[in-house]
Amino acid sequence: MTTARKPDTAEAADAVEVLRGALAEAEILLPSLGADTASPTLSLVTLGRVRADVALKLARALRQGRS
């Protein structure tokens, strides 16, 4: 028997704030970053569209974090 998950946009909103803070530390801004309220049971985060230079900066930051 599976238990249905209650809608919880707070989980996605919390994730957005944590991610926004980490991105700010790397001086990266994702203008469309936000919680997706269309599917609250999935707790989705919308990363949105970014310019190519921002995508490359994000890739560099991720690679540096793995070193």
Side-chain angles (χ1 to χ4, degrees):
M1 176 184 214
T2 59
T3 305
R5 219 175 137 187
K6 292 181 184 177
D8 184 10
T9 55
E11 184 178 0
D14 290 345
V16 166
E17 292 312 310
V18 170
L19 180 56
R20 190 183 315 277
L23 289 168
E25 289 175 18
E27 299 180 356
I28 298 171
L29 173 65
L30 299 182
S32 301
L33 179 63
D36 181 349
T37 57
S39 303
T41 57
L42 297 177
S43 296
L44 298 176
V45 172
T46 300
L47 300 177
R49 296 166 42 169
V50 298
R51 295 184 325 258
D53 63 314
V54 175
L56 292 172
K57 192 172 186 178
L58 180 56
R60 279 193 298 274
L62 290 170
R63 286 187 177 121
Q64 287 173 354
R66 287 189 297 190
S67 335

